[in-house]
Amino acid sequence: MSKLPHIGTSIFTIMSKMATEYNAINLSQGFPNFPVDERLTDIVAKLAKQNVHQYLPMSGYPPLLSKIAILVKNSYGRAIQPETELLITAGATQAIFTTIQALVETNDEVIILDPSYDCYEAPVLLCNANTVRVSLNDDYTPNWDRIEKACSSKTKMIIINNPHNPTGKILNESDFEILESLLEKYPKITVLSDEVYEYITFEEKHISAHTREKLLNRCVMVSSFGKSFHVTGWKIGYLVAPEYLMKEIKKVHQFLVFSVNSICQVAISEYLDLVSVNEIGSFYKEKRNYFRQLLKGSKFELMPCEGTYFQVASYASLSDKNDVDFCKWLIVEHGVAAIPISTFHADGKDLKLIRFCFAKDNATLEAAAKRLCAIQ
Ligand code: PMP
Ligand code: GLN
């Protein structure tokens, strides 16, 4: 008997494991391979010898909560109450799981836009609720007609992910206007806004749910320091929610983790005094441009990338294989690991697209591109 009969091992685990087995360059799972900012590692080294090793308050280290409130104010002009509207979580994954467990009830429906990141579905199913998977358009913009048709009296939540993994698309002003008018018709729906790549956008500015007056009272916003500060293994992030939702979310949080690891919270709190989030976008824009330029001589067709650190590419002119087999072949025969996009679709829709992570040092990007360009 399984509570999640059709859920297997995540594609990120599978591809990273295979990359290690075959000694391939790993552009699959999304994590940086360059050194972490020394200012941050120095803080951690210093803190290791201080008295920061015991439980912190359930919702987070108070100075960190205050600094996140300042960060949100500076980034988006939104004033949040750190004591009642903010929660430090063990990464965005825990924030998402906790929110869904707290707010979704038996037989509710949760709308997920495909292709979608993999951590949304299982927590919904564990609530004995149902996911309603709605495909994005082929250019990865939301299809609001389809989304509206999917809404009903059973819909409890819509999950948006902006900037979007895996496609690198971002939502625009008109998307938010349509979402807001849709929500007016369905007062029961809460928005879960996964914004872990909020600071990684390029030509266009990120529009956060924080800036949408009409959403604030019915939206849970999720972020990840793993993504923003290149420390994915730290598993630390936060969520912002209106107090009436936060009350419910904290009830679950206290029995899932109680409080998040202390040294990382104190370290991030001190680091926030030194770092500027405004540099993250330009840092990754350079990486994106460099990687795209390196792949110019290849047969991969590169899709637009507006944000995140993922580049989607079509291999249609190289192979007829399905994308999962293509990714396995790419590792075994050419020593480069990527992620097949079909695994982000409930129906396994295969458009011969794969995702490369470009959060890598230049030497890694160059070595990978050399191998990718050699495939003819
Ligand atoms: N949402 C998206 C869209 C992601 O790409 C990731 C991976 N960072 C997460 C959530 C989970 O983030 P974390 O590692 O902080 O749990
Ligand atoms: N967010 C990472 C990605 O999209 C994966 C994290 C994980 O392995 N769970 O590649």
Side-chain angles (χ1 to χ4, degrees):
M1 154 55 193
S2 167
K3 291 179 80 173
L4 298 169
H6 73 280
I7 303 250
T9 305
S10 104
I11 192 67
F12 309 113
T13 304
I14 291 172
M15 287 301 164
S16 272
K17 186 162 174 274
M18 211 173 153
T20 308
E21 268 166 26
Y22 286 87
N23 201 19
I25 299 172
N26 190 359
L27 305 189
S28 64
Q29 197 177 24
F31 62 88
N33 78 337
F34 39 81
V36 172
D37 187 344
E38 253 182 49
R39 293 174 299 176
L40 182 55
T41 49
D42 285 350
I43 293 172
V44 177
K46 178 199 74 178
L47 287 176
K49 293 194 188 279
Q50 294 181 9
N51 181 18
V52 293
H53 302 288
Q54 309 310 329
Y55 293 131
L56 287 172
M58 188 262 275
S59 54
Y61 179 53
L64 177 59
L65 294 174
S66 308
K67 286 178 200 179
I68 294 171
I70 294 168
L71 178 70
V72 171
K73 177 84 183 157
N74 290 342
S75 301
Y76 305 115
R78 177 185 183 189
I80 54 171
Q81 298 305 320
E83 307 79 29
T84 52
E85 295 180 320
L86 184 55
L87 180 67
I88 308 298
T89 59
T93 311
Q94 188 239 314
I96 291 162
F97 188 94
T98 307
T99 300
I100 293 171
Q101 288 304 307
L103 304 183
V104 175
E105 295 168 69
T106 303
N107 293 331
D108 279 349
E109 291 184 352
V110 175
I111 294 179
I112 296 177
L113 309 180
D114 277 0
S116 59
Y117 185 62
D118 70 348
C119 80
Y120 308 139
E121 183 186 24
V124 175
L125 300 179
L126 290 172
C127 296
N128 289 322
N130 299 305
T131 58
V132 178
R133 311 283 288 251
V134 180
S135 290
L136 296 169
N137 292 315
D138 284 348
D139 65 356
Y140 296 136
T141 52
N143 185 314
W144 291 108
D145 289 336
R146 279 205 290 262
I147 295 169
E148 176 148 16
K149 284 201 186 94
C151 289
S152 73
S153 57
K154 288 186 173 173
T155 313
K156 177 58 77 66
M157 182 179 278
I158 296 180
I159 302 180
I160 55 173
N161 172 211
N162 176 41
H164 188 258
N165 179 8
T167 68
K169 276 298 276 187
I170 59 177
L171 297 179
N172 62 28
E173 182 72 25
S174 127
D175 291 318
F176 277 100
E177 283 167 9
I178 301 170
L179 173 64
E180 285 156 5
S181 60
L182 184 65
L183 292 179
E184 273 169 26
K185 294 184 208 158
Y186 293 92
K188 223 182 76 180
I189 299 179
T190 299
V191 175
L192 175 53
S193 183
D194 176 349
E195 300 186 29
V196 299
Y197 302 100
E198 62 181 320
Y199 295 116
I200 313 180
T201 57
F202 310 127
E203 283 71 23
E204 301 295 327
K205 207 172 169 302
H206 169 61
I207 303 179
S208 170
H210 284 307
T211 63
R212 308 302 301 188
E213 202 59 44
K214 290 186 181 160
L215 294 184
L216 298 186
N217 200 36
R218 50 196 298 195
C219 178
V220 178
M221 189 276 188
V222 172
S223 188
S224 170
F225 289 118
K227 297 289 161 180
S228 297
F229 296 151
H230 323 299
V231 286
T232 60
W234 284 25
K235 298 300 301 184
I236 179 165
Y238 61 90
L239 66 85
V240 177
E243 188 173 357
Y244 74 102
L245 295 179
M246 186 62 93
K247 271 190 180 153
E248 298 307 310
I249 292 169
K250 283 182 180 171
K251 288 180 193 172
V252 177
H253 177 82
Q254 65 184 341
F255 297 120
L256 193 56
V257 285
F258 180 68
S259 67
V260 172
N261 88 73
S262 56
I263 188 164
C264 290
Q265 291 201 58
V266 182
I268 299 265
S269 173
E270 291 191 13
Y271 186 56
L272 279 170
D273 292 336
L274 311 175
V275 71
S276 163
V277 291
N278 301 325
E279 290 156 15
I280 305 166
S282 49
F283 173 77
Y284 279 119
K285 185 176 176 186
E286 235 173 74
K287 295 246 169 252
R288 179 204 63 174
N289 291 350
Y290 190 48
F291 186 55
R292 288 176 71 96
Q293 186 208 319
L294 288 169
L295 285 184
K296 272 209 173 119
S298 79
K299 289 207 161 163
F300 289 92
E301 186 196 343
L302 304 183
M303 302 296 132
C305 170
E306 300 171 338
T308 76
Y309 46 52
F310 301 116
Q311 174 63 58
V312 175
S314 165
Y315 62 87
S317 69
L318 277 170
S319 171
D320 288 332
K321 291 186 198 309
N322 69 48
D323 63 359
V324 174
D325 286 348
F326 182 81
C327 283
K328 289 182 177 162
W329 174 83
L330 197 59
I331 293 177
V332 175
E333 298 297 329
H334 296 279
V336 179
I339 297 285
I341 299 288
S342 67
T343 58
F344 294 81
H345 288 274
D347 60 4
K349 183 157 114 183
D350 178 10
L351 297 172
K352 304 209 180 312
L353 295 170
I354 60 176
R355 189 198 81 175
F356 295 112
C357 172
F358 56 78
K360 305 294 168 190
D361 58 34
N362 287 355
T364 304
L365 295 178
E366 286 156 16
K370 197 168 166 204
R371 293 180 186 187
L372 295 170
C373 288
I375 310 171
Q376 291 300 326

